[in-house]
Amino acid sequence: MEKIKMGKIVEMDGDEMTRIIWKMIKDELLEPYVELNTEYYDLGLPHRDETNDRVSIDAAEATKKYRVAVKCATITPNAQRVEEYGLKEMWKSPNGTIRAILDGTVFRTPVLVSGIKPTVRTWEKPITIARHAYGDVYKATEFRPTKPGKAELVFTSCDGEEERATIYDFECGGVLQGMYNKDTSIHSFAHSCFQYAIDTKQDLWFSTKDTISKKYDQTFKLIFQDIYDKSYKEKFEELGITYFYTLIDDAVARVIRSKGGYIWACKNYDGDVMSDMVSTAFGSLAMMTSVLVSPDGNYEYEAAHGTVTRHYYRYLEGEKTSTNPIATIFAWTGALRKRGEIDGNEALIGFADKLEKASLDTIESGKMTKDLVGLWEGSEATALTTEEFILAIKAELEKSL
Ligand code: NAP
Ligand code: MG
């Protein structure tokens, strides 16, 4: 069989167990069938250290150029990692660096297989959470006044005008918090959400607490509505998808009663909390994919989980691990499919579809990694090592090619 040709994508290699899996996926599931055309960036921690983390910035810039990237999980250094790897500095999270450069929003979607039932009985299709990963309580300034006094909000504009509002006249100690967001960031968030809804042909829900937060949350609601009306309404109607705004508490109730199959956009804190709830209810972090979408339509695909350190240390001892490669495989298929869509490369899109189907069919035939066996409700399940599982997927894939 002739290998499928493709346009260039950015490849970002990573760390630990996921770096091992990365190579296995390329060797067994991709390179025999596709003439992989990637611009390779090694985001493994040793190379980030060598380049003073320049490589993370270069990889993000390359993503802007080629529009599609696939990323392996990477270590975010802490004090222990600085010692373990003898780092020059405690480098920042590559994901944070890339997100800041692409100004994007992260969409997390569970991979569903029959045989693993979501905890919520009505859910039949995945629910994708879009979290606005900028500002609010994550960039807040906090105070802990311990005696009576007056707390005020003061805004001094660059031309020297001042606006003031009393927050509270404290008669005792208390707590205070000042937080902000920016129109530009909310705009980018909205564009990424509408863009991704169109790409995936799914409804978009957005929820805030604008009845209580009459300026802060109301601004989010108004900006979304304005952008929708001006730039996306027609396209949504054409595709038969809807944009739906509701209060966060109403949204929570509707999500639980829904069948799934939509994108739920959340403010930063709501998205933090709700994505953990939704992913847990769908089953396993190892089955959760993630894509960073920039407002101008650049895409970076990855697994939602980390580098699976505990398995890696066992691997280094010579043990065969049963680490689940599904989210990493789906990061690759997501990137290949997107490249195919942008270039009109049907063969590449077809390959991505077949590899995803082969992965799911393998699990549904009862062959899976250890983490899934415990969740499995189908007939008997066999726990395979990562390598055996990838080879089982390969055998399934070959049937369809
Ligand atoms: P983790 O790598 O996601 O692993 C936590 C635990 O979840 C594992 O020990 C394992 O449980 C289970 N698990 C996760 N993925 C799995 C898979 N594919 N197959 C089977 N089990 C899986 O999180 P962590 O241990 O907190 O973080 C490790 C490193 O990853 C850290 O250095 C962190 O900075 C980094 N990280 C990177 C990203 C990213 O690049 N996007 C995201 C998160 C964390 P058992 O051990 O019980 O089997
Ligand atoms: Mg969280």
Side-chain angles (χ1 to χ4, degrees), residues 271-339:
D272 183 353
V273 177
M274 291 305 154
S275 69
D276 280 349
M277 188 199 71
V278 168
S279 64
T280 305
F282 270 111
S284 160
L285 195 58
M287 297 290 279
M288 185 70 64
T289 59
S290 182
V291 56
L292 175 72
V293 181
S294 78
D296 48 349
N298 303 312
Y299 299 78
E300 182 242 312
Y301 293 85
E302 64 174 326
H305 59 76
T307 59
V308 211
T309 311
R310 292 212 311 178
H311 294 209
Y312 181 60
Y313 291 156
R314 293 211 300 267
Y315 168 88
L316 290 179
E317 309 258 289
E319 204 181 303
K320 294 248 183 230
T321 71
S322 183
T323 315
N324 190 336
I326 290 287
T328 306
I329 294 173
F330 275 63
W332 273 100
T333 52
L336 296 182
R337 181 181 296 107
K338 178 53 72 183
R339 181 78 274 161

Side-chain angles (χ1 to χ4, degrees), residues 174-243:
V175 284
L176 268 171
Q177 183 178 67
M179 63 181 190
Y180 73 93
N181 222 300
K182 302 194 297 187
D183 285 5
T184 46
S185 177
I186 304 169
H187 275 261
S188 297
F189 176 42
H191 279 293
S192 295
C193 289
F194 289 124
Q195 181 94 40
Y196 195 63
I198 288 171
D199 279 351
T200 58
K201 298 182 188 64
Q202 296 184 90
D203 292 344
L204 176 67
W205 297 17
F206 181 43
S207 55
T208 73
K209 192 71 178 174
D210 65 293
T211 45
I212 299 299
S213 174
K214 290 192 170 64
K215 286 202 177 123
Y216 203 111
D217 282 16
Q218 174 86 315
T219 299
F220 278 77
K221 175 183 171 178
L222 293 177
I223 289 177
F224 264 69
Q225 191 63 47
D226 186 51
I227 290 178
Y228 175 69
D229 291 339
K230 283 195 183 127
S231 308
Y232 296 99
K233 193 164 189 279
E234 250 171 66
K235 188 75 192 166
F236 267 55
E237 284 170 1
E238 203 178 290
L239 291 172
I241 55 176
T242 53
Y243 169 58

Side-chain angles (χ1 to χ4, degrees), residues 161-181:
E161 266 177 56
E162 207 176 83
E163 274 184 82
R164 278 173 183 270
T166 301
I167 298 170
Y168 191 64
D169 269 313
F170 282 96
E171 70 286 353
C172 61
V175 284
L176 268 171
Q177 183 178 67
M179 63 181 190
Y180 73 93
N181 222 300

